[in-house]
Amino acid sequence: MGDDPGRLYRLDGVAHIAGVINDEPRRCISSVRRQQGMRLDERYVPYLQMAGLYHLARLNDRWFRLDEPLVSAFVERWRPETHTFHMPFGECTITLQDVAYQLGLPVDGDYVSGCLTDFHLYIEGGRPAWQWFHELLGVLPPENQVQKFAVNCTWFQETFAECPDGADEETVRRFVRAYIMMLLGTQLFADKSGNRIHIRWLPYVARLEEMGRYSWGSAALAWLYRCMCRVANRHVVKLAGPLQLLQSWIFWRFPTLRPSGYDEISWPLASRWSGYNPGISNKGPRVQMARLKIDLLQPRQFIWMPYSALDVIQVVHPEVLEPRHTMLWRCRTSLIYFAVVEWHQVDRVLPQFGGVQPIPSPALNIDFLMSKDGRGGDRWFPAQYADWHVHWQERAEHILQFDIVPDPGPSHDFLTWWYQHGKRFLSPEMLLGDPRGIPIPDEATQRGAGRLPDMDRVEDVPDRRRIERRARVGTRRSQREWIGADLAMDDVEPPVRGGGRVRGRGGRRRVGAAREGAQMPMGGDVAGVDRAHRGGHEGGSRGSGMGDPTTHTDAGLGGGGLGDYFVGVPGDDHTLQESTPWVSPSSMFGDLLASDGIVAEFGGPHFLDDIRTIMQEDEAAAGRVQTTGTQPPLDVDLNEPATVAPPHPFAMGGTPASVQTVGSHSVAGPSSSRPVHSARVSPIQPVPDDSDESIEDEEPLIRRSFRTRVPRRCGTGSHLFR
């Protein structure tokens, strides 16, 4: 029972900082520079209260700096495999309960998801992005203040710094929209640029009265989890996200690590540390000191339930304690923030809710979801990741039931397992001595064995890239033959003159994109083939979010393959899960694949190329475990526009029934005849659908090229290989 070490610490051999801690003992993260924001006008307060963001806005005026060396020591102990910190005494993590108490955010509500830029295609009453921006805020930023679909913070601050005296209601609403976009973009969902506000919030601020429907707390926690998973990569040193939540959680849970002189408690609880300003010198030695302090922690030096203290109960806001919110603190479910899907792994930290921790079940493997960050063209994410969005919608069915005890903590069985398998210490042995002789505390035995709550089984979503490459060995043909066959069907000029295999990562993407475009004879986008022929930005680096992380521009919720975590994984190995239906069984390509002119034989030059590539990857993977040093941090921007419009427009706030089942793919161009609606947005309902095909599309076909190969027959058998 429980995770075996090979699964529990599977990422140490990829790029986790804990795997090379002896080579980089002074590695220190850097935090995003905080934007000062705008003054909280009393006229904004009613709107912020309706949105559930008023307490966060008050916290915005009580900012404190991040203790980067201390947080770096905690990053070393963050495990993306479990979404928990691995400590000498067991596991602990930041939960929805912490979000509610520290930031005062609502937990229950609809997921924060939808689309990022193509509002007119997906949302009833939506407009093209910048037209809608102008209607909602009354002004457009100059071109030099815009980067893709993000606006510089300085422009927001200068333009909406002060709401004019005597302003009418519509003017006040415009300033409120700007204030909320600034608040969300800098305090909860900041990216690593640290100075830009993405326009993804336009559909939300368009309906100010409805913003209270959403679970801002779960979205903020999803984003913090993703940022922590990224910065746990040894090659990433820049940390973004809701950093006030992270640092305040550390101070509240670890009394020996908190600063002195901050004894006044106010609401939200993170405001307790207002004005904290740690030093910025000697960061490397301070990281080592913080690491040693954590290694020497005793079980009683971690507070499992800090919010049960009387001085906390006296200041807590009543709405946080509503049953619809409190019951979700113990919910084992998905956490969603647009394309970011994380997992609330509360079954591993039962003592934080008053229980006894037994040996946990193996943690859910969502490595594949960690690669999804919204790049590759805009999509409707409730359809893209339908199962995970439905899981949040059914959150009330996944609340854990367990016994509450007077002295919560790990059981004797758990500590026996943890002492054997957990990575409890990171400092050198010369500083710690031999910890194996430390006995299990008596109180652990007195707590009893504990019981693992009943939980619904959720299937793993592992990253299968290397497995799939081996499954495809000997199944590809040259680019010339595939392009020739496809172009013969569509009568399109070859995108690469002279044929042959295009060398280099970018070339292969462009040719692949043209091939995918040529595979759309029925309603396909021939213009997309021409875009792929032109290559450049559209068919190259934007890709699908799983390419070589060192070549990506800022283009999504994250930067780099697998959400910046798996830096160093070969880019050519970045493919999707084997279950993805790339080619519909009913398509005409089955006949094409069966033709004698395209059937390859094993032992050909490309078969040997595959074998050689696999051997090189294995050697590189073995070398990565031993290498030291760092590469430049991978900065993150938000998202780029889609070049192939999705076929179905949807309304926000739900998962249409038509996308529950994976169907065939349809690619359509944007409609130029869409009517322009009034500035007020009607209640969110799905737009009538004229197509018979499902929208469940992993990503636009033009975008999938460089990671997929069309299956073909090998030899004389009838089996189709990917």
Side-chain angles (χ1 to χ4, degrees):
M1 189 176 181
D3 278 325
D4 64 88
R7 176 187 172 97
L8 192 61
Y9 297 102
R10 63 182 179 272
L11 302 182
D12 276 359
V14 182
H16 197 288
I17 181 59
V20 292
I21 196 67
N22 293 331
D23 298 328
E24 304 176 36
R26 297 190 173 189
R27 182 245 197 190
C28 185
I29 61 99
S30 61
S31 57
V32 173
R33 178 174 61 91
R34 189 247 176 172
Q35 298 296 321
Q36 294 302 316
M38 296 176 284
R39 187 179 69 86
L40 177 58
D41 193 298
E42 61 181 12
R43 289 171 288 182
Y44 305 166
V45 172
Y47 295 99
L48 293 170
Q49 290 174 332
M50 284 190 296
L53 299 173
Y54 175 61
H55 302 304
L56 183 71
R58 292 178 62 244
L59 185 61
N60 189 50
D61 295 330
R62 304 180 184 183
W63 190 262
F64 50 88
R65 292 183 60 90
L66 193 72
D67 189 337
E68 294 175 349
L70 177 63
V71 171
S72 297
F74 274 85
V75 165
E76 297 167 358
R77 294 179 174 275
W78 177 262
R79 300 305 312 192
E81 302 95 333
T82 61
H83 290 81
T84 59
F85 296 100
H86 285 201
M87 295 291 177
F89 52 81
E91 295 181 80
C92 57
T93 194
I94 305 170
T95 69
L96 291 174
Q97 180 192 43
D98 298 300
V99 178
Y101 276 101
Q102 299 294 340
L103 302 183
L105 289 175
V107 170
D108 187 38
D110 294 339
Y111 46 68
V112 179
S113 187
C115 61
L116 299 171
T117 57
D118 293 341
F119 312 123
H120 60 295
L121 299 177
Y122 290 111
I123 301 173
E124 184 178 9
R127 313 281 195 281
W130 294 111
Q131 176 186 338
W132 211 6
F133 187 101
H134 185 264
E135 290 179 7
L136 294 175
L137 278 79
V139 64
L140 278 176
E143 291 185 5
N144 62 356
Q145 296 292 326
V146 176
Q147 300 186 42
K148 299 172 186 176
F149 285 93
V151 182
N152 289 346
C153 289
T154 53
W155 180 84
F156 265 96
Q157 294 168 348
E158 294 169 359
T159 307
F160 299 98
E162 295 284 344
C163 185
D165 294 335
D168 59 21
E169 184 63 21
E170 182 56 35
T171 300
V172 172
R173 291 173 66 91
R174 289 175 178 174
F175 275 76
V176 170
R177 294 182 183 118
Y179 183 91
I180 290 178
M181 291 179 68
M182 191 78 173
L183 188 68
L184 297 176
T186 60
Q187 191 154 343
L188 277 190
F189 305 107
D191 67 3
K192 289 191 284 187
S193 71
N195 61 359
R196 294 192 290 270
I197 308 298
H198 197 269
I199 66 171
R200 70 184 60 183
W201 304 114
L202 292 180
Y204 291 88
V205 298
R207 299 177 299 273
L208 291 173
E209 290 79 8
E210 298 181 21
M211 288 191 69
R213 299 172 37 195
Y214 299 98
S215 174
W216 299 109
S218 66
L221 188 59
W223 184 232
L224 178 61
Y225 278 4
R226 179 59 60 88
C227 293
M228 292 292 291
C229 291
R230 287 176 179 165
V231 81
N233 184 322
R234 59 178 296 203
H235 301 296
V236 181
V237 296
K238 203 169 185 180
L239 176 61
L243 303 183
Q244 283 181 303
L245 169 61
L246 172 61
Q247 180 148 303
S248 185
W249 179 86
I250 294 173
F251 289 162
W252 273 93
R253 298 275 183 177
F254 297 85
T256 60
L257 301 179
R258 70 176 57 153
S260 59
Y262 294 88
D263 300 325
E264 183 180 351
I265 299 177
S266 57
W267 183 258
L269 297 187
S271 62
R272 176 178 179 177
W273 321 107
S274 176
Y276 175 64
N277 189 12
I280 60 174
S281 60
N282 300 319
K283 289 185 178 181
R286 289 169 57 199
V287 172
Q288 293 175 297
M289 181 60 67
R291 183 185 306 129
L292 181 59
K293 286 182 178 179
I294 295 175
D295 284 333
L296 296 176
L297 281 172
Q298 300 301 309
R300 293 294 181 182
Q301 292 178 320
F302 177 78
I303 304 178
W304 289 106
M305 300 183 67
Y307 310 130
S308 60
L310 181 60
D311 50 0
V312 173
I313 297 175
Q314 291 175 342
V315 301
V316 67
H317 199 278
E319 68 181 3
V320 170
L321 302 180
E322 292 180 12
R324 67 187 183 96
H325 295 302
T326 58
M327 69 179 186
L328 295 184
W329 298 346
R330 296 176 285 110
C331 185
R332 184 175 180 265
T333 186
S334 56
L335 302 171
I336 295 170
Y337 168 58
F338 290 97
V340 172
V341 179
E342 298 292 345
W343 194 247
H344 198 224
Q345 201 87 24
V346 291
D347 56 297
R348 304 183 74 92
V349 292
L350 297 184
Q352 293 185 209
F353 303 95
V356 176
Q357 181 63 53
I359 300 175
S361 298
L364 181 65
N365 182 336
I366 57 171
D367 290 352
F368 177 71
L369 291 176
M370 291 169 62
S371 69
K372 300 305 175 183
D373 52 19
R375 291 177 299 178
D378 199 11
R379 284 150 288 176
W380 185 251
F381 297 114
Q384 182 79 5
Y385 310 113
D387 290 344
W388 304 97
H389 284 70
V390 170
H391 207 286
W392 172 258
Q393 289 179 319
E394 299 173 349
R395 55 195 176 276
E397 302 175 12
H398 307 292
I399 298 171
L400 303 187
Q401 303 294 333
F402 51 89
D403 295 330
I404 306 299
V405 299
D407 182 29
S411 66
H412 186 281
D413 292 342
F414 172 86
L415 290 178
T416 301
W417 171 78
W418 188 246
Y419 284 13
Q420 181 180 359
H421 298 298
K423 289 196 173 181
R424 303 166 57 208
F425 308 102
L426 296 180
S427 297
E429 291 184 11
M430 67 180 70
L431 300 178
L432 287 176
D434 188 351
R436 290 173 293 181
I438 301 177
I440 294 176
D442 293 337
E443 56 263 27
T445 305
Q446 298 170 1
R447 293 188 188 107
R451 181 183 64 84
L452 198 64
D454 295 331
M455 297 177 290
D456 294 334
R457 177 176 174 79
V458 182
E459 296 296 330
D460 288 340
V461 194
D463 175 43
R464 302 182 182 275
R465 296 174 299 175
R466 299 185 65 79
I467 297 174
E468 290 191 349
R469 170 167 287 281
R470 282 153 177 74
R472 290 197 309 272
V473 170
T475 64
R476 289 181 293 165
R477 291 290 288 173
S478 69
Q479 302 289 352
R480 174 186 299 179
E481 290 174 328
W482 279 112
I483 293 172
D486 294 336
L487 295 179
M489 296 177 62
D490 271 3
D491 193 23
V492 179
E493 183 182 9
V496 178
R497 303 186 185 279
R501 175 171 292 196
V502 178
R503 300 295 181 185
R505 194 180 310 274
R508 294 177 68 180
R509 294 183 192 177
R510 289 189 289 271
V511 175
R515 186 168 68 239
E516 295 282 3
Q519 291 177 8
M520 296 183 292
M522 302 174 62
D525 183 6
V526 179
V529 179
D530 182 59
R531 286 193 295 271
H533 168 63
R534 293 194 301 269
H537 185 64
E538 290 185 346
S541 64
R542 227 167 52 206
S544 62
M546 293 186 68
D548 183 352
T550 62
T551 61
H552 277 299
T553 56
D554 297 343
L557 291 174
L562 246 58
D564 274 3
Y565 183 78
F566 293 88
V567 175
V569 177
D572 285 342
D573 222 12
H574 291 187
T575 59
L576 286 177
Q577 300 179 100
E578 59 189 1
S579 60
T580 307
W582 297 119
V583 178
S584 173
S586 61
S587 69
M588 65 182 66
F589 301 112
D591 298 334
L592 173 63
L593 297 174
S595 62
D596 294 336
I598 298 184
V599 175
E601 297 181 359
F602 286 105
H606 303 303
F607 174 86
L608 299 179
D609 285 346
D610 281 329
I611 295 294
R612 186 179 301 109
T613 300
I614 288 175
M615 294 176 65
Q616 292 172 350
E617 290 172 355
D618 289 339
E619 293 174 358
R624 283 194 304 273
V625 179
Q626 305 297 330
T627 56
T628 61
T630 59
Q631 69 182 49
L634 304 177
D635 285 336
V636 177
D637 191 2
L638 295 167
N639 292 275
E640 302 183 22
T643 56
V644 179
H648 294 244
F650 288 125
M652 294 185 60
T655 303
S658 61
V659 303
Q660 300 291 338
T661 305
V662 175
S664 57
H665 299 284
S666 174
V667 177
S671 173
S672 59
S673 59
R674 184 175 181 86
V676 177
H677 301 274
S678 61
R680 289 299 301 270
V681 181
S682 60
I684 304 176
Q685 297 293 335
V687 175
D689 181 8
D690 297 329
S691 172
D692 294 331
E693 298 192 46
S694 169
I695 191 176
E696 214 296 326
D697 185 11
E698 180 57 39
E699 55 190 347
L701 293 177
I702 292 294
R703 293 283 170 229
R704 296 199 216 113
S705 57
F706 75 97
R707 295 181 303 166
T708 62
R709 278 83 178 176
V710 179
R712 50 182 281 302
R713 287 206 172 115
C714 301
T716 58
S718 60
H719 181 68
L720 287 177
F721 289 80
R722 279 197 175 93

